[in-house]
Amino acid sequence: MGADALFVYGTLQFPEVLTALIGRVPEREAVGAEGWRVAALPGRPYPGIVPGDTIVRGYLITGLDAEEWRLLDAFEGPGYELVRIELTDGRCGWAYVWPSEVGDGDWSAEEFEAHELAVYAEQCLEWRRGFEAT
C-alpha cells in the first residue's frame, strides 16, 4: 500500500466521525492487525492500540489527500505516534499508536457507538471548525 493507507481501529472507524473530521468517508476495507490490542484510555472516550496478544479489527482507509492527513494528524495530536504496522492480510498501513503505558481494560466499539458516538461526532465537527478557523 502507498503512504495513503491508514489503519483505523477506534473512533475513526465510524463514518460519522470521519465525515465530521474530513467531510467524507474514504474508501475502506475491513482488516485486522495481529499483536495489538485496543486499550481503553482512562477518562477518554477514544482508545489507543498498544502491543498485545490479540487481533485488532478495523479498517484500512485509502485515498486520503494531504489536507485530510493534516486534519487527522492535528486531531490525533501529540499523544499518538504514527507507526507503520503489518496487517493480517500481509499488507501494511499507518496507525495512530498509543506510546504510553495503559491499564488492562479494553475499549468497546459497541459501547462507544451506543452511548457516545453522536456527541463525539458533534465534538469532532466543532473541533474541525475551530481548527480551520485558525
Side-chain angles (χ1 to χ4, degrees), residues 1-133:
M1 299 293 335
D4 66 344
L6 176 64
F7 176 68
V8 295
Y9 55 84
T11 61
L12 292 179
Q13 68 183 311
F14 291 94
E16 298 90 336
V17 173
L18 288 168
T19 300
L21 291 174
I22 64 172
R24 70 183 184 103
V25 179
E27 186 174 325
R28 61 194 196 132
E29 182 181 344
V31 68
E34 189 170 2
W36 299 91
R37 77 176 178 93
V38 182
L41 302 177
R44 298 178 174 126
Y46 52 84
I49 59 168
V50 296
D53 58 0
T54 64
I55 295 176
V56 171
R57 301 286 175 204
Y59 294 94
L60 189 64
I61 295 176
T62 56
L64 293 169
D65 65 28
E67 177 61 14
E68 291 166 336
W69 273 110
R70 186 179 79 83
L71 283 165
L72 292 174
D73 284 343
F75 179 74
E76 294 298 340
Y80 289 91
E81 291 179 2
L82 192 58
V83 176
R84 197 159 172 82
I85 64 172
E86 187 173 337
L87 304 171
T88 53
D89 64 4
R91 293 181 291 175
C92 290
W94 294 99
Y96 291 104
V97 172
W98 191 255
S100 305
E101 292 290 321
V102 295
D104 293 333
D106 289 334
W107 183 79
S108 168
E110 293 79 17
E111 287 183 29
F112 173 81
E113 183 175 25
H115 303 290
E116 301 184 66
L117 175 58
V119 169
Y120 188 80
E122 183 59 35
Q123 291 170 342
C124 290
L125 185 57
E126 290 174 20
W127 174 89
R128 180 180 175 193
R129 289 177 181 148
F131 180 77
E132 290 177 335

